[in-house]
Amino acid sequence: MGAGVGIVGEALKALYGDGRDDHALDTAASLLAADRSADAELARRGREFVRTLWTRGWQPADLVRMARRELADEHVRLLVSLVRSETAGYERLPHRWQAQLDAFDPEERPQADRFSNATTTLELYRLLVRLPRLDAVGPVPGEALPPAVAGEPKMLTRIRALLAKAEATTYADEAEALTAKAQELMARHSLDEASLAAGAPSPETPGAIRIGVDPPYEQAKAILLDAVATANHCRAVWNEAYGFSTVVGFEADLEPVELLYTSLLVQGTAAMTRAEAEQRKGGRRRTKSFRQSFLLAYANRLGARLSATTRRVAAETPTLLPALASREVAVTTRTDELFPETRTTRVRAAWDEAGWDHGTSAADRAGLGAPPRGEIR
């Protein structure tokens, strides 16, 4: 075992060299491949790297997302195995972590020679040791956790069911009605939470979650997520380099925002596919610019409609507007604390008028409540 520890220690020095030169990594992989006594120590060091990243603000989904962006499938499979092994040692995991673990693909690792396995391991570890610190968006394994909640809130179950039906139906009018009902439920639930807070103030403060914003067309997707978050009393900050947005808000609003964003993205992508098929029937071949313009228009139009629905629901109980405003101030303050140096960015997309028109129409068909006064549906 002592010899294995020494070999691993020597091999891992290659992780900290020039990332553009793989000669040191090949040499280290050869050392590891030649000595099976190093295997257990190498795996232990991997779990240690993962555990360190928990304390640096990373969560399981964040790590797997980075591995998918930067490396290959074999690296992702190894990382999933390490994450599951590391987290298995805790009696209870933070809220949302188990769902992230459950979403990972089964660990089916094809057989490879020892040198290839060692190379894959070192390439993954090199990525892990170079990841920066992130702002924490929740507790890490081993810290004190709030009491576990049995099951899912009834409201969230209803929203999930409505959106699942909206994604599954082939009838635009039905999808419109289902999605509209889901957004209204979200708006009313937020009002209920504001009412409770106004009647009996609690020490609850805004929290945060990370939501993956994956290519292609990630800028349009980030804009769509921002629209959903803003309409539901949250704030979204996009980290382009690491492929996610951080959504800041009160706990009751965070998961519904993720559900609605995911559903609208599914619906928008399906509508874009149908629009492209129509264009091809007309003899016109659509390109990347069509898809970009479609999704940007879809996000832009949905933002307006989401906010209109939220305002309409809030207007039904005007006495709660001060409580809502107070909660939004708290969310903005927390966002500024987490991200004191945010900046705006220009939309980078080639313009396609047909794509924009189709995207706007698709957003209108998503139907998020009654139209603003004077608008004809």
Side-chain angles (χ1 to χ4, degrees):
M1 182 65 177
V5 171
I7 289 172
V8 170
E10 187 65 28
L12 293 187
K13 292 179 182 178
L15 305 183
Y16 303 93
D18 188 344
R20 295 167 296 180
D21 181 9
D22 286 334
H23 177 71
L25 208 70
D26 289 343
T27 301
S30 297
L31 283 173
L32 294 172
D35 192 339
R36 293 181 182 274
S37 70
D39 292 355
E41 174 64 11
L42 187 63
R44 188 194 69 79
R45 293 296 295 271
R47 294 191 296 273
E48 185 179 277
F49 290 143
V50 168
R51 186 161 52 251
T52 297
L53 285 167
W54 302 157
T55 67
R56 293 173 63 82
W58 291 79
Q59 295 187 358
D62 303 323
L63 293 184
V64 172
R65 188 182 306 114
M66 281 301 299
R68 284 201 179 103
R69 286 167 65 95
E70 301 294 330
L71 300 170
D73 289 346
E74 57 266 28
H75 303 90
V76 174
R77 286 190 290 266
L78 173 59
L79 176 58
V80 168
S81 177
L82 284 173
V83 167
R84 284 184 169 145
S85 177
E86 205 288 318
T87 55
Y90 301 97
E91 183 177 347
R92 189 159 69 91
L93 293 173
H95 180 48
R96 297 191 181 90
W97 281 50
Q98 189 59 54
Q100 293 181 24
L101 295 175
D102 292 343
F104 296 154
D105 294 330
E107 301 163 29
E108 296 180 4
R109 298 183 62 188
Q111 294 295 319
D113 61 88
R114 287 186 58 79
F115 176 78
S116 296
N117 285 334
T119 300
T120 296
T121 301
L122 291 174
E123 288 171 341
L124 174 63
Y125 289 5
R126 181 169 61 183
L127 172 68
L128 297 181
V129 300
R130 295 181 181 187
L131 291 176
R133 181 178 296 276
L134 297 177
D135 292 296
V137 294
V140 301
E143 291 184 350
L145 300 176
V149 177
E152 180 176 82
K154 186 180 296 184
M155 177 277 307
L156 204 57
T157 302
R158 291 180 64 194
I159 290 173
R160 193 185 300 277
L162 286 166
L163 293 176
K165 290 180 180 178
E167 294 166 26
T169 183
T170 57
Y171 298 101
D173 288 347
E174 184 181 12
E176 171 182 339
L178 291 165
T179 308
K181 183 62 177 176
Q183 172 60 23
E184 287 197 16
L185 279 177
M186 290 169 63
R188 294 187 190 284
H189 179 67
S190 195
L191 276 177
D192 290 342
E193 291 294 315
S195 176
L196 290 172
S202 71
E204 182 191 10
T205 58
I209 59 172
R210 293 195 192 101
I211 298 176
V213 180
D214 298 314
Y217 319 118
E218 53 266 52
Q219 193 168 46
K221 293 174 183 177
I223 291 172
L224 175 61
L225 177 52
D226 179 72
V228 174
T230 301
N232 289 284
H233 314 294
C234 298
R235 297 290 180 270
V237 179
W238 181 35
N239 187 320
E240 183 178 8
Y242 297 116
F244 62 77
S245 284
T246 302
V247 179
V248 183
F250 284 91
E251 187 65 29
D253 296 322
L254 291 175
E255 195 159 349
V257 163
E258 183 172 16
L259 283 174
L260 182 57
Y261 163 71
T262 303
S263 179
L264 289 174
L265 191 57
V266 169
Q267 294 182 56
T269 302
M272 180 178 67
T273 301
R274 290 193 297 269
E276 285 190 298
E278 291 175 9
Q279 292 292 304
R280 284 195 295 272
K281 286 181 181 178
R284 286 180 289 180
R285 180 174 175 272
R286 285 302 158 194
T287 61
K288 180 179 180 180
S289 61
F290 175 88
R291 294 186 286 272
Q292 285 179 325
S293 297
F294 182 102
L295 289 176
L296 285 169
Y298 182 76
N300 179 68
R301 182 62 170 160
L302 271 176
R305 297 186 69 79
L306 285 163
S307 295
T309 298
T310 299
R311 289 194 300 270
R312 176 173 59 80
V313 172
E316 296 173 4
T317 317
T319 56
L320 289 179
L321 293 179
L324 277 176
S326 176
R327 287 166 72 86
E328 292 199 3
V329 168
V331 170
T332 299
T333 300
R334 181 58 178 150
T335 304
D336 291 342
E337 291 172 353
L338 288 173
F339 306 102
E341 298 180 358
T342 56
R343 61 182 177 85
T344 58
T345 184
R346 289 181 176 274
V347 174
R348 301 183 302 276
W351 172 259
D352 185 291
E353 185 174 358
W356 184 271
D357 290 343
H358 278 281
T360 300
S361 297
D364 285 338
R365 289 193 298 272
L368 298 159
R373 183 175 299 175
E375 178 181 325
I376 299 174
R377 178 174 290 172

